[in-house]
């Protein structure tokens, strides 16, 4: 993108605030924001919000570094974690709540992934049992999606009826489309 996309403004506010506000308005018990590039500016953008911060010192390594930094801070008494990406401004609190409602590890729903018209999106809810595996195996600029096939028997697809789960802002064109009100997913 040429700059920190999380600080790019959409409708007058930095992109990262959309995801954080959705998480805070959901049934999630707590919200942790992983920082890296331009940490102070990201923290400033989230001033006044009840979030914890953790810095991914090796954020230049890619998405896995940020994911691992956040996962390393998950308290022992937390059953699961919703991984919500900061560049997904159209994810709603309702989507997060649908994933939480679907979560039932004893019934084979230890990983809950939202879908819209048959397409998988984000965020993904992971049972805490997968955290050690993610910490040990993830690397580079990939998230934990690679683990989904290994744990297909524990996965539940949750139709959410919302295409915001498919919209991430990875390019200047996607940002421009989002600002113009066009679906960039």
């Amino acid at each position: 993108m040429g700059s920190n996309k999380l600080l790019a403004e959409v409708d007058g506010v930095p992109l990262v605030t959309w995801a954080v506000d959705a998480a805070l308005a959901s049934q999630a018990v707590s919200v942790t924001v992983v920082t890296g590039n331009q940490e102070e500016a990201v923290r400033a953008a989230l001033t006044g919000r009840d979030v914890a911060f953790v810095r991914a010192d090796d954020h230049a390594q890619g998405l896995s570094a940020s994911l691992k930094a956040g996962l390393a801070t998950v308290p022992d008494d937390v059953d699961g974690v919703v991984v919500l990406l900061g560049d997904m401004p159209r994810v709603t609190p309702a989507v997060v709540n649908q994933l939480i409602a679907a979560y039932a590890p004893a019934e084979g729903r230890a990983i809950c992934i939202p879908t819209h018209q048959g397409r998988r999106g984000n965020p993904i809810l992971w049972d805490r049992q997968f955290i050690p595996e993610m910490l040990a195996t993830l690397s580079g600029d990939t998230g934990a999606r690679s683990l989904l096939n290994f744990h297909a028997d524990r996965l539940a697809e949750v139709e959410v009826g919302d295409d915001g789960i498919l919209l991430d802002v990875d390019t200047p064109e996607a940002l421009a489309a989002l600002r113009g009100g066009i679906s960039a997913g």
Side-chain angles (χ1 to χ4, degrees):
M1 292 271 299
S3 63
N4 187 339
K5 65 184 171 183
L6 298 181
L7 298 171
E9 288 198 358
V10 176
D11 294 337
V13 296
L15 187 63
V16 68
T17 61
W18 292 94
V20 169
D21 287 348
L24 288 169
S26 77
Q27 296 170 348
V29 173
S30 65
V31 177
T32 299
V33 176
V34 179
T35 64
N37 184 30
Q38 296 181 299
E39 176 182 17
E40 296 307 319
V42 172
R43 283 177 174 259
L46 299 172
T47 297
R49 289 170 173 83
D50 185 19
V51 299
F53 289 96
V54 61
R55 178 173 169 75
D57 290 325
D58 56 349
H59 62 88
Q61 301 285 324
L63 175 62
S64 66
S66 295
L67 181 57
K68 288 163 67 172
L71 291 173
T73 68
V74 174
D76 290 340
D77 63 344
V78 170
D79 295 327
V81 61
V82 177
V83 178
L84 178 57
L85 307 178
D87 65 352
M88 297 195 67
R90 297 297 186 234
V91 170
T92 66
V95 165
V96 177
N97 291 343
Q98 285 177 276
L99 296 176
I100 293 169
Y103 175 71
E107 297 174 19
R109 298 189 307 270
I111 304 169
C112 299
I113 185 167
T115 62
H116 178 68
Q117 297 180 350
R119 293 179 59 197
R120 290 179 173 177
N122 278 298
I124 300 175
L125 186 155
W126 296 87
D127 186 85
R128 78 164 299 101
Q129 74 183 27
F130 300 106
I131 292 175
E133 183 177 5
M134 288 189 268
L135 290 171
T137 63
L138 300 180
S139 65
D141 200 28
T142 58
R145 281 193 182 269
S146 60
L147 300 178
L148 295 178
N149 290 337
F150 294 116
H151 301 291
D153 61 325
R154 308 294 318 270
L155 180 110
E157 291 186 343
V158 180
E159 174 56 46
V160 296
D162 186 337
D163 66 355
I165 65 162
L166 305 174
L167 173 71
D168 61 347
V169 180
D170 288 334
T171 65
E173 295 79 19
L175 180 60
L178 178 65
R179 286 175 172 159
I182 302 167
S183 175

